[in-house]
Amino acid sequence: MMDSNKMTINLALFGMTQSGKSSAGNILLGSNDFHSSFAPCSVTKDCSLGRSCHLRGFMRRGGQEITLQIRVLDTPGYPHSKLSEKHVKQEVREALAHHFGQEGLHLALLVQRADVPLCGQEESSPVQMIQELLGHAWKNYTAILFTHAEKIEEAGFNEDEYLHEASDTLLTLLNSIQHRYIFQYKNQNSLNEQRLKILERIIEFIKENCYQVITFK
């Protein structure tokens, strides 16, 4: 949504249990809206929408300074340790329609731990849910957010080497979504610097998409 000097960016987080969705959502919002903790089971049971404060001086368009607000939909892990796949899909479907039905979704972020290989059977559930809920245009509105990216450096890799060694499943997925990906480092720079870097990448993806959105009924 955008008027002459204001823009709202709508994002939704998808991923497996303990992938770091809620933590990533908090970084994007610059707050602690979403409960996030380590647990041997799924933590998030319901969809929840968070809103950032208004960001000024972050971007300009047509020579004008744009006031930006980020809205993030956090979703339950999929598959879930306590909820059925059918329940989670219905919960997310209703939340997308309720929050983004008219204004639309700019980007779905598939949250994937960088230290957990993406294999065919494992990636099928969250990716298939995105495909089902976003429809045939899902490839144009999806990016991967790699959490725990500091593990890459600890293992002696850089980002390019990591992707070069990635599984065929991950490479195929990256090709499908035009190589839209972001690395999130836990121990790099301040949280605000990290947040701004991630948001800059997200804005780049949205600009490349000509600010188009996908709507839900």
Side-chain angles (χ1 to χ4, degrees):
M1 181 179 69
M2 184 168 179
D3 60 25
S4 60
N5 61 355
K6 293 181 181 179
M7 175 184 282
T8 300
I9 298 298
N10 293 327
L11 308 171
L13 303 173
F14 296 86
M16 298 182 72
T17 289
Q18 290 293 312
S19 60
K21 294 186 306 302
S22 299
S23 177
N26 287 333
I27 290 175
L28 290 167
L29 294 173
S31 66
N32 290 303
D33 284 35
F34 306 131
H35 175 63
S36 174
S37 65
F38 173 79
C41 59
S42 301
V43 175
T44 303
K45 298 182 177 68
D46 304 293
C47 290
S48 177
L49 185 74
R51 296 175 176 84
S52 73
C53 61
H54 289 89
L55 302 172
R56 294 177 175 84
F58 183 77
M59 63 180 292
R60 301 180 69 85
R61 194 180 187 201
Q64 285 192 320
E65 183 177 287
I66 301 298
T67 299
L68 185 68
Q69 185 178 45
I70 309 299
R71 299 202 307 165
V72 178
L73 181 68
D74 190 22
T75 67
Y78 187 86
H80 200 278
S81 64
K82 296 180 180 179
L83 305 174
S84 70
E85 293 187 359
K86 182 179 179 181
H87 178 92
V88 173
K89 280 185 181 179
Q90 187 61 28
E91 167 82 12
V92 178
R93 181 180 286 108
E94 291 175 358
L96 288 170
H98 177 70
H99 296 296
F100 305 140
Q102 292 184 331
E103 294 182 7
L105 177 71
H106 288 92
L107 198 65
L109 291 171
L110 174 63
V111 182
Q112 167 68 27
R113 288 184 64 116
D115 58 342
V116 177
L118 192 65
C119 302
Q121 185 177 358
E122 294 173 335
E123 68 87 22
S124 61
S125 290
V127 174
Q128 282 182 359
M129 181 164 71
I130 291 174
Q131 292 172 340
E132 183 175 328
L133 296 179
L134 270 59
H136 68 277
W138 73 275
K139 296 177 182 179
N140 299 324
Y141 296 94
T142 302
I144 300 177
L145 177 62
F146 291 105
T147 57
H148 299 272
E150 68 279 357
K151 300 292 185 182
I152 297 173
E153 294 182 338
E154 291 173 11
F157 293 100
N158 60 37
E159 293 177 4
D160 289 338
E161 290 168 338
Y162 171 82
L163 293 174
H164 182 73
E165 297 292 331
S167 67
D168 288 342
T169 299
L170 176 55
L171 294 176
T172 299
L173 178 58
L174 284 170
N175 284 331
S176 296
I177 60 174
Q178 295 111 55
H179 290 269
R180 287 189 293 266
Y181 62 86
I182 306 166
F183 286 98
Q184 176 185 303
Y185 293 85
K186 206 169 195 174
N187 54 6
Q188 189 182 68
N189 305 320
S190 69
L191 279 177
N192 192 52
E193 285 180 78
Q194 184 182 91
R195 178 194 185 202
L196 292 178
K197 284 185 177 180
I198 293 172
L199 288 177
E200 283 172 0
R201 287 281 285 166
I202 287 173
I203 296 298
E204 283 177 20
F205 299 150
I206 292 170
K207 282 181 179 177
E208 290 169 2
N209 233 12
C210 300
Y211 300 94
Q212 294 180 91
V213 295
I214 186 166
T215 56
F216 306 91
K217 296 180 180 180

